Amino acid sequence: MLSAVTSGPTPAVSKKTEAQYASWITVAVWSISSLLFVVPMLVAGEKVTTQMIWSIIAIAFGGSFVSCALMIVIWRVFESRLPRKILIATSAIFLAAILLTLFDLASAKLFISIQPGNQLSSSLFYRATNNFAVFIPHFSLLGALYALLAHNRQAVRRERMLADANSLAHQAKLSALRYQLNPHFLFNTLNSISSLVVTRRNSQAEEMLTRLSEFLRTTLAVSPNTPQTLESELETVEAYLGIERIRFGDRLGLELCCPSALRDSLIPHFLLQPLVENAIKYGVAPTEDSITIGIDILEDDEILEIVVRNDTLAPASSVHGIGVGLRNVRDRLQAVFGDLGTLEIMTVDQEYRAIVRFPRMKE
């Protein structure tokens, strides 16, 4: 889930499963039909001959095979326009009834040829017309059931395509938000390097460029949509602070409080750096005093809470979190966790705090 909070589960009805359903329905229809033909005769005390039993078995097997062919035809034309679909399906049902009628006549003649003493209980014409009239409702019912399965498969496929499209759109949104953060950070860092060069602090400018190169190599090598462990995110923050310490020297300190049990938690990549950058912007840059950036991480009822603070009161405008970095953090939390991901900016006892909360995820 981090990519996990994107979309809900998609029904997983495969084409193979639908074919199994169709097979079970086919067998059930012809088995029930055979029983409904025989049971009333047994209840009425009529004699069920061997020829009749073999005829029923032949019809059940032949009907099952013809039904499979009908299923294939209906599934093949289901994507067609409605008039063509109705015409082909109706023709296929009639053709299926004719084929099974002819199969029944052929099997009856074969049985008589094997046992010459047996005779048909009715004329061939009567048997053919009667069976054809019986088979039409059978194949119509099966055709409707096959069409229903095809409709279900089509609905599942469209739902899956919609879910995939939503997922791609969601990932694209996350990527766009993620890559908006780096230029914002780069702009500030390059300005700092420019200032170092202008003031002839070339060694510091060179060191900052080296650290920047290492930092970008680390952060940009990871997919923006791939979550990383809290441990890795803290290492990214430390690399970022290494760059900023060149600007501020010993005035910038870090106070980290993170239980080891939480360090394997998964969080969106590059989530903390904008918060730390914002704290430096409003806590360290405006003053000549030494400032400590605090990062406190705790868990409350499966909710991970990360607090980034500094001990200098931020300007009122920054408390509302209207900057690019904070706005992107809030948007990414919303995109990944929905209403469960929040960013709150506040001041407590003259201390500036950015508080992030979201469900804890593990590797």
Side-chain angles (χ1 to χ4, degrees):
M1 186 186 161
L2 279 183
S3 48
V5 182
T6 58
S7 53
T10 314
V13 180
S14 65
K15 187 174 181 179
K16 181 179 179 181
T17 303
E18 288 168 342
Q20 291 174 343
Y21 287 158
S23 300
W24 296 339
I25 289 172
T26 301
V27 172
V29 167
W30 288 108
S31 299
I32 293 172
S33 175
S34 300
L35 288 175
L36 291 177
F37 184 81
V38 174
V39 170
M41 297 179 63
L42 294 175
V43 172
E46 297 182 19
K47 181 181 179 181
V48 179
T49 64
T50 303
Q51 178 184 346
M52 187 176 296
I53 292 176
W54 280 110
S55 178
I56 293 172
I57 293 173
I59 289 175
F61 275 97
S64 297
F65 282 109
V66 175
S67 297
C68 290
L70 176 64
M71 175 191 71
I72 293 173
V73 171
I74 290 179
W75 283 7
R76 286 283 181 86
V77 301
F78 194 78
E79 301 290 342
S80 305
R81 292 186 177 182
L82 185 60
R84 182 172 183 269
K85 182 163 51 179
I86 293 176
L87 176 62
I88 294 178
T90 302
S91 301
I93 289 170
F94 274 88
L95 180 59
I98 292 172
L99 289 175
L100 188 55
T101 298
L102 295 176
F103 175 80
D104 173 62
L105 294 179
S107 61
K109 286 186 176 181
L110 177 63
F111 185 80
I112 291 175
S113 66
I114 296 175
Q115 307 223 350
N118 293 317
Q119 298 293 328
L120 293 176
S121 58
S122 59
S123 66
L124 290 177
F125 178 78
Y126 176 82
R127 184 183 181 106
T129 53
N130 182 67
N131 283 350
F132 179 78
V134 171
F135 295 155
I136 286 292
H138 281 71
F139 287 117
S140 297
L141 172 62
L142 286 168
L145 293 174
Y146 297 150
L148 182 62
L149 287 174
H151 174 76
N152 181 66
R153 183 179 64 188
Q154 184 184 63
V156 169
R157 185 168 63 248
R158 287 178 177 174
E159 186 174 349
R160 191 173 293 142
M161 291 172 63
L162 179 60
D164 290 342
N166 288 337
S167 178
L168 289 174
H170 176 82
Q171 297 300 328
K173 179 180 179 181
L174 284 178
S175 296
L177 289 172
R178 164 65 176 85
Y179 283 123
Q180 285 178 23
L181 299 177
N182 278 333
H184 184 243
F185 159 68
L186 281 174
F187 179 79
N188 293 336
T189 305
L190 292 175
N191 272 347
S192 298
I193 295 173
S194 176
S195 299
L196 291 173
V197 172
V198 169
T199 56
R200 299 183 182 280
R201 290 181 287 175
N202 296 335
S203 60
Q204 290 179 305
E206 184 177 351
E207 183 181 356
M208 185 175 280
L209 278 172
T210 301
R211 288 182 178 271
L212 176 62
S213 175
E214 294 173 353
F215 176 79
L216 292 179
R217 186 182 302 111
T218 301
T219 57
L220 297 180
V222 181
S223 169
N225 299 323
T226 302
Q228 67 173 354
T229 62
L230 182 56
E231 178 74 31
S232 298
E233 185 73 1
L234 291 174
E235 291 175 359
T236 301
V237 169
E238 183 60 42
Y240 164 73
L241 289 175
I243 297 173
E244 295 290 27
R245 285 193 184 102
I246 298 175
R247 284 176 62 193
F248 301 108
D250 295 336
R251 293 199 300 115
L252 174 60
L254 174 65
E255 185 179 275
L256 174 63
C257 179
C258 178
S260 57
L262 298 180
R263 290 180 176 258
D264 63 345
S265 303
L266 293 177
I267 71 172
H269 181 50
F270 215 68
L271 185 72
L272 295 186
Q273 186 274 340
L275 302 179
V276 175
E277 181 182 354
N278 194 69
I280 292 175
K281 177 180 178 181
Y282 291 109
V284 183
T287 180
E288 295 298 324
D289 299 332
S290 295
I291 300 297
T292 299
I293 302 297
I295 301 177
D296 303 318
I297 302 170
L298 54 95
E299 179 188 10
D300 181 19
D301 194 22
E302 297 298 318
I303 297 296
L304 200 65
E305 180 175 292
I306 303 175
V307 181
V308 178
R309 54 183 170 78
N310 64 59
D311 49 13
T312 297
L313 183 62
S317 61
S318 70
V319 174
H320 299 289
I322 58 174
V324 174
L326 294 182
R327 186 164 55 247
N328 273 273
V329 169
R330 181 176 285 125
D331 289 345
R332 292 175 69 208
L333 287 170
Q334 178 69 30
V336 175
F337 297 104
D339 293 337
L340 297 179
T342 61
L343 169 63
E344 188 177 2
I345 308 298
M346 63 175 65
T347 57
V348 179
D349 298 330
Q350 302 298 303
E351 183 179 71
Y352 171 82
R353 295 183 182 181
I355 305 173
V356 171
R357 296 184 182 90
F358 54 86
R360 186 188 177 197
M361 301 298 298
K362 299 179 182 179
E363 285 186 295

